[in-house]
């Protein structure tokens, strides 16, 4: 499985961005696709995750109500729509894939087997 994240950039506070994660591999059935972020000097932080089969999703408290994770199976792509961005959302954003994850462990980055290269999101005043 290979993951390629894109869509980051510089945006003003209150603005929106949509991140994409293009996945390649034989199959993604049974996988959970997650988005994490990491700011300088901080630990990697869970943002959102979605089951490839079924599409159920889960969010961090910081993301809930502002971010939406979705997928397009035909394009093998997972999206993270981010609205009402805040200064504290500034970070490198990474997509990840893990097989057979249950909801309770989805926020744990160590449970994911594959990672994309990251895309930078910078929110300015």
């Amino acid at each position: 499985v290979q993951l390629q994240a894109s869509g980051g950039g510089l945006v003003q506070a209150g603005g929106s961005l949509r991140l994409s994660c293009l996945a390649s591999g034989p199959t993604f059935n049974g996988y959970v696709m997650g988005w994490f972020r990491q700011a300088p000097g901080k630990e990697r932080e869970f943002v959102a995750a979605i089951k490839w089969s079924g599409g159920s999703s889960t969010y961090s408290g910081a993301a809930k109500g502002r971010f939406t994770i979705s997928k397009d199976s035909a394009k093998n792509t997972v999206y993270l729509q981010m609205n009402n961005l805040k200064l504290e959302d500034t970070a490198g954003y990474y997509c990840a894939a893990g097989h057979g994850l249950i909801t309770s462990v989805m926020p744990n980055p160590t449970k994911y087997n594959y990672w994309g290269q990251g895309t930078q999101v910078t929110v300015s005043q």
Side-chain angles (χ1 to χ4, degrees):
V1 175
Q2 291 186 321
L3 305 173
Q4 183 175 355
S6 62
L10 176 64
V11 62
Q12 286 188 324
S16 299
L17 278 177
R18 188 178 78 160
L19 306 184
S20 300
C21 177
L22 175 63
S24 59
T27 180
F28 302 105
N29 290 333
Y31 274 86
V32 170
M33 311 299 287
W35 283 100
F36 291 79
R37 67 186 184 185
Q38 189 167 20
K42 294 188 177 182
E43 293 187 351
R44 192 159 291 191
E45 176 188 19
F46 172 73
V47 177
I50 188 168
K51 290 185 177 180
W52 192 268
S53 305
S56 61
S57 57
T58 188
Y59 296 88
S60 68
K64 197 171 296 183
R66 299 188 298 128
F67 296 1
T68 302
I69 190 170
S70 62
K71 65 176 180 70
D72 184 333
S73 299
K75 296 182 178 180
N76 280 0
T77 300
V78 176
Y79 302 100
L80 184 69
Q81 177 67 43
M82 305 186 295
N83 298 328
N84 190 21
L85 283 161
K86 303 177 181 181
L87 296 178
E88 53 264 40
D89 295 319
T90 295
Y93 282 72
Y94 299 84
C95 59
H99 190 267
L101 305 185
I102 60 175
T103 303
S104 61
V105 303
M106 288 179 190
N108 187 342
T110 67
K111 301 297 184 182
Y112 291 78
N113 308 101
Y114 306 98
W115 290 85
Q117 84 287 5
T119 184
Q120 178 67 31
V121 172
T122 302
V123 183
S124 65
Q125 287 185 326

